[in-house]
Amino acid sequence: MKGAKKGKGKGENEKSGEKLKTKDYEQELAKLHVELVKLQEWVKYKGLKVCVIFEGRDGAGKGGTIKAITERISPRVFRVVALPAPTEREKTQMYAQRYLPHLPAAGEVVIFDRSWYNRAGVERVMGFCTEEQARRFLGVVPLFEKLMVESGIILLKYWLEVNPDEQTRRLEARIDDGRKIWKLSPMDLQSYSRWDDYTKARDEMFASTDTAWAPWYVAKSDDKKRARLNLITHLLGKIPYEEAPREKVKLPKRQKDQKYKSPDYPFKFIPEVF
């Protein structure tokens, strides 16, 4: 089986205390993108079902990591699921019910940007569920995930771990950045003050749901670039794949007899301000 080869750029050999340079990062990421495309084609060819979960505190780098994974592949194969807060109707459903329709079918990779583990984290810490509901969830979810795995789903669960100082730096950087201000919701601000509560919730979640059939993998994310490369490399290594057979691409010849002539239509071209 083929998998992602470990990059040999000098950034990969530097100590973790030194930030990975952008040039080294982009070179290594380009190599991993090639492997992700190979994985994509293998998933389609073999009809694999892959489910990847990303969890972590606000500012841990989940969104950037998911973007790094998906920016060069097909959204028809790699599907990102980021569910909003449940509706009043969904609140009355069985808890896992709103997640079931999003699980992968054959030939799909589904990436959850936060998942059913909301109940073990934000819902528990912020009081959106009772302590009894949270504990019941922690007891049931390993069985739920065992059913997923036994049905043929390849389930990968990632927790991105960021230290408190780096989280503070990232959240403060969003305040005056017009591109990122939308990432600071009132809920984010409330949860920021509850670092210890989230740490306790994380630890209890790991103790209850880090199973042999669906283990948790932790990625240190203080250096975003390094974390993305490490995580993508790990993901590729956890899904056996080969290069799917395909015919060599060759552009066909264009029509020689250009009989059709376009009318002199007044196209509304956009202004060329750049």
Side-chain angles (χ1 to χ4, degrees):
M1 292 290 182
K2 292 183 178 180
K5 296 180 180 178
K6 290 186 177 180
K8 296 182 179 179
K10 63 180 180 179
E12 290 297 295
N13 297 321
E14 293 172 352
K15 295 180 180 180
S16 59
E18 185 176 346
K19 293 287 186 179
L20 187 61
K21 296 179 180 178
T22 299
K23 181 179 178 181
D24 295 330
Y25 167 71
E26 291 177 348
Q27 288 177 345
E28 295 301 326
L29 185 60
K31 297 174 187 176
L32 292 174
H33 281 157
V34 172
E35 295 300 324
L36 284 167
V37 171
K38 291 179 183 178
L39 173 62
Q40 167 187 282
E41 297 305 297
W42 187 254
V43 166
K44 291 193 299 180
Y45 178 66
K46 284 293 186 179
L48 300 182
K49 297 180 290 184
V50 182
C51 181
V52 185
I53 289 173
F54 284 96
E55 295 288 344
R57 306 175 196 268
D58 296 320
K62 298 181 294 297
T65 301
I66 292 171
K67 182 179 179 181
I69 292 172
T70 59
E71 63 182 344
R72 295 292 182 177
I73 43 77
S74 171
R76 296 183 181 89
V77 180
F78 279 72
R79 183 159 47 88
V80 178
V81 177
L83 297 182
T87 64
E88 291 303 314
R89 179 176 181 275
E90 287 173 334
K91 290 178 182 178
T92 68
Q93 295 177 339
M94 179 178 69
Y95 179 70
Q97 193 170 339
R98 68 193 297 248
Y99 295 98
L100 291 174
H102 301 282
L103 294 181
E108 293 182 343
V109 178
V110 173
I111 298 175
F112 280 94
D113 184 353
R114 296 199 183 274
S115 65
W116 45 90
Y117 281 100
N118 273 343
R119 174 134 298 181
V122 64
E123 289 190 15
R124 187 180 193 184
V125 172
M126 301 304 296
F128 296 146
C129 71
T130 66
E131 189 63 20
E132 180 185 356
Q133 287 175 320
R135 293 192 180 281
R136 191 185 308 135
F137 167 81
L138 292 174
V140 171
V141 74
L143 302 178
F144 170 63
E145 292 176 350
K146 192 168 189 178
L147 288 174
M148 290 175 59
V149 173
E150 290 180 348
S151 75
I153 294 176
I154 298 172
L155 176 60
L156 295 172
K157 303 188 304 190
Y158 290 105
W159 175 273
L160 274 65
E161 183 67 18
V162 63
N163 73 49
D165 292 338
E166 179 62 18
Q167 185 199 40
T168 297
R169 189 193 68 77
R170 292 177 185 178
L171 296 183
E172 286 180 341
R174 294 175 181 179
I175 295 175
D176 299 316
D177 191 333
R179 302 165 300 171
K180 299 179 180 179
I181 189 62
W182 63 273
K183 294 183 177 183
L184 272 181
S185 68
M187 185 62 57
D188 296 331
L189 298 177
Q190 290 182 49
S191 65
Y192 170 77
S193 65
R194 302 188 182 185
W195 178 274
D196 287 347
D197 292 340
Y198 271 98
T199 300
K200 183 174 183 290
R202 178 205 63 192
D203 293 345
E204 292 188 15
M205 179 186 76
F206 279 7
S208 299
T209 64
D210 186 18
T211 60
W213 54 88
W216 278 102
Y217 298 106
V218 179
K220 295 179 181 179
S221 63
D222 292 340
D223 183 337
K224 290 181 180 181
K225 296 183 180 72
R226 199 180 297 277
R228 293 167 190 168
L229 298 180
N230 288 334
L231 197 148
I232 296 173
T233 299
H234 184 273
L235 185 151
L236 289 166
K238 298 302 294 184
I239 308 173
Y241 67 97
E242 298 177 10
E243 193 160 347
R246 61 177 299 168
E247 294 182 5
K248 187 175 181 180
V249 177
K250 185 178 180 181
L251 292 177
K253 293 181 179 180
R254 281 185 172 158
Q255 295 171 314
K256 289 184 177 180
D257 299 328
Q258 297 181 2
K259 297 180 180 179
Y260 176 76
K261 300 296 181 183
S262 295
D264 187 15
Y265 187 80
F267 292 106
K268 298 177 180 67
F269 290 103
I270 65 171
E272 296 184 352
V273 296
F274 297 102

